[in-house]
Amino acid sequence: MSEAGTGATNRLLGYPADARLLIINADDFGMCHAINAAIFQTLTAGVVRSTSLMAPCPWARHAMP
């Protein structure tokens, strides 16, 4: 069985080996104020677990508290 099939990733993340996980990533962080506000809200609520920062965009500094 492969490493992925053993549940090692789940255990590293603190979940049971047989858990099915859905990790939601929010794209376009830093694009505009409305997107930043929505991503901050979903991160705080625990819906989104990761995001991708658009560093050259106008609202990138706002996204990096």
Side-chain angles (χ1 to χ4, degrees):
M1 183 174 274
S2 71
E3 179 74 17
T6 65
T9 301
N10 285 10
R11 287 194 300 274
L12 286 171
L13 293 172
Y15 294 96
D18 61 346
R20 292 184 179 239
L21 305 179
L22 174 65
I23 300 172
I24 300 174
N25 181 70
D27 290 333
D28 299 337
F29 204 22
M31 181 67 77
C32 67
H33 183 265
I35 291 173
N36 286 1
I39 290 175
F40 281 131
Q41 184 177 4
T42 57
L43 283 167
T44 302
V47 176
V48 169
R49 294 297 186 159
S50 66
T51 186
S52 301
L53 177 66
M54 304 276 291
C57 290
W59 283 83
R61 286 186 165 228
H62 176 261
M64 298 182 283

